[in-house]
Amino acid sequence: MKRVLGRKQTSNNEKWLEVFKHIDELVTKEELDIAVATAVQKLKKATDGKDVAFAWSGGKDSIVLSKICELAGINRSMFAYTDLEYPAFLDWCLQNKPDGCDTIHIPLNLEWLAKHEDMIFPKGKNLNRWYQIVQRAAFTKYFFDNKLDLIIVGHRKADGNIVGPDGTLRKGSGEIRYSPLADWSHELVLAFIHYYNIELPPIYGWKNGFRRGTHPWPSRMYTGSVENGWKEVYDIDPSIVQKAAKKIESASHFLEERG
């Protein structure tokens, strides 16, 4: 197996597309089968006799995770979403989420965003805050509400995620997260999608889709400026900006300048 991709945050999207196009030249089906068997074995061992569920986001890692969990006999899952999702992406997720997946609605909407304009196309700590108030908060809520022994997540070291020893991350609150894909490379994830012929959500076909990954639209990364952020979102779905303009001045200003 050959590794040619770096962290998605610093990799060129065109490189991702090129690697995906030729992934069978980098990872053989036999190499993937070994990685899958190892992940399934570790997952079974880590979850034996425990109440568990996996987190599904609709992103490429969670899609692979759901298949690994299925192979390990784990079918309980959760999906969290806000009112600030790309409509096409949310529709895809609701139509393609795992069978029996529990949905968690997080009450973040345009009214909330208008009061927290520093969270629009943020940098630094505010970008990390999105992960805290959406994904990680949802993990924690589901874990404790359902009295789980651990929650399974698709976090990988290759993305710079903290996964803990052997993929087990123990929080001070008592929450335990387990990452069976912790050591998987980007190439292995893409190979799984290729060899298993898995459908990806529309977000990966949009500008910088692999680099941006899944996200509520206001948390879109690396736009360079708020104005350019509105432009990128407008190019994906004009209706998002048109609705935002009724409550957020920078969106209204963008539309005025656009003419």
Side-chain angles (χ1 to χ4, degrees):
M1 181 180 68
K2 298 179 181 177
R3 299 192 183 198
V4 295
L5 290 168
R7 289 177 60 177
K8 70 180 180 182
Q9 295 91 338
T10 57
S11 298
N12 181 286
N13 197 67
E14 285 66 35
K15 184 68 173 179
W16 276 85
L17 294 172
E18 184 68 16
V19 168
F20 197 14
K21 183 178 179 180
H22 300 285
I23 193 63
D24 58 341
E25 299 173 15
L26 299 172
V27 182
T28 66
K29 180 60 163 58
E30 291 73 20
E31 288 172 323
L32 176 65
D33 288 344
I34 292 172
V36 169
T38 300
V40 170
Q41 182 182 29
K42 287 182 176 181
L43 182 56
K44 286 182 176 180
K45 182 178 180 180
T47 59
D48 185 35
K50 299 177 180 177
D51 288 328
V52 304
F54 66 90
W56 190 86
S57 69
K60 65 184 190 314
D61 293 348
S62 76
I63 291 173
V64 173
L65 177 67
S66 71
K67 299 298 182 181
I68 296 295
C69 286
E70 181 181 333
L71 292 171
I74 299 168
N75 300 303
R76 189 177 186 181
S77 61
M78 54 79 65
F79 166 64
Y81 69 96
T82 71
D83 293 322
L84 299 171
E85 309 295 340
Y86 299 94
F89 173 65
L90 181 58
D91 287 347
W92 187 93
C93 287
L94 294 176
Q95 292 175 22
N96 291 275
K97 61 186 177 67
D99 292 341
C101 181
D102 294 324
T103 56
I104 297 177
H105 175 246
I106 298 175
L108 300 182
N109 52 28
L110 285 174
E111 287 74 17
W112 175 88
L113 193 62
K115 298 175 182 177
H116 300 84
E117 293 197 30
D118 58 332
M119 295 291 283
I120 300 174
F121 315 123
K123 302 176 182 178
K125 66 178 182 179
N126 283 344
L127 179 58
N128 189 58
R129 282 180 63 200
W130 275 108
Y131 294 110
Q132 293 288 352
I133 63 179
V134 180
Q135 293 97 333
R136 293 165 190 162
F139 297 163
T140 301
K141 176 176 173 55
Y142 194 80
F143 179 89
F144 287 110
D145 284 354
N146 292 276
K147 298 180 174 60
L148 299 179
D149 293 312
L150 61 80
I151 187 163
I152 306 162
V153 297
H155 295 166
R156 295 182 296 117
K157 296 175 185 176
D159 272 338
N161 290 311
I162 299 174
V163 298
D166 299 320
T168 302
L169 182 63
R170 300 177 184 275
K171 308 289 287 183
S173 63
E175 178 188 355
I176 302 175
R177 299 174 190 167
Y178 180 67
S179 307
L181 305 180
D183 294 316
W184 276 40
S185 65
H186 300 313
E187 290 78 11
L188 269 179
V189 170
L190 295 179
F192 191 103
I193 293 167
H194 167 71
Y195 287 117
Y196 281 76
N197 195 28
I198 292 175
E199 177 187 359
L200 287 175
I203 203 164
Y204 291 104
W206 298 338
K207 180 179 179 181
N208 291 324
F210 278 98
R211 189 176 180 221
R212 298 292 191 265
T214 56
H215 59 279
W217 63 259
S219 68
R220 190 171 179 82
M221 299 180 289
Y222 314 123
T223 60
S225 66
V226 170
E227 180 178 307
N228 192 56
W230 288 121
K231 179 182 184 304
E232 289 189 11
V233 171
Y234 186 92
D235 288 344
I236 292 170
D237 187 340
S239 71
I240 294 175
V241 185
Q242 291 162 356
K243 291 177 181 178
K246 297 176 182 179
K247 298 183 179 296
I248 299 172
E249 185 176 354
S250 58
S252 176
H253 180 71
F254 167 81
L255 291 180
E256 290 174 2
E257 289 294 315
R258 184 179 178 85

